[in-house]
């Protein structure tokens, strides 16, 4: 697990009023594609709309639900 920041980008469809800057904090979880760590990884990243730091327990619960549905995921050894 690690922390990072998103990037805030705003613009109008006509190209005017563009702006960018630091966004909200994010928490990321990177895991190997399989139990043997034979190469490759998957990453799950969460951020909160209110700008708070995502809870690690929530990140783990999301990963437990989402990763088994991803093609190529082989959690069982």
């Amino acid at each position: 697990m690690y922390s990072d920041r998103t990037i805030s980008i705003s613009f109008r469809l006509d190209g005017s009023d563009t702006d960018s800057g630091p966004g909200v904090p994010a928490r990321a979880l990177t895991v190997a594609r399989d139990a043997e760590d034979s190469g490759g990884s998957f990453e799950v990243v969460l951020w909160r709309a209110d700008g708070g730091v995502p809870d690690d327990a929530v990140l783990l619960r999301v990963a437990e639900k989402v990763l088994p549905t991803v093609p190529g995921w082989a959690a069982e050894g």
Side-chain angles (χ1 to χ4, degrees):
M1 279 192 214
Y2 66 93
S3 295
D4 207 345
R5 273 204 164 298
T6 61
I7 298 171
S8 172
I9 300 173
S10 62
F11 58 91
R12 295 177 54 95
L13 294 178
D14 66 4
S16 65
D17 296 327
T18 61
D19 190 31
S20 66
V24 298
R27 285 293 283 160
L29 172 68
T30 305
V31 294
R33 288 183 75 103
D34 58 45
E36 288 79 33
D37 193 15
S38 59
S41 62
F42 292 105
E43 188 165 271
V44 177
V45 181
L46 293 181
W47 63 92
R48 292 175 35 168
D50 67 1
V53 178
D55 184 82
D56 287 346
V58 173
L59 176 58
L60 291 173
R61 283 195 307 270
V62 169
E64 288 173 347
K65 292 283 187 182
V66 172
L67 288 173
T69 69
V70 174
W73 174 252
E76 301 299 320

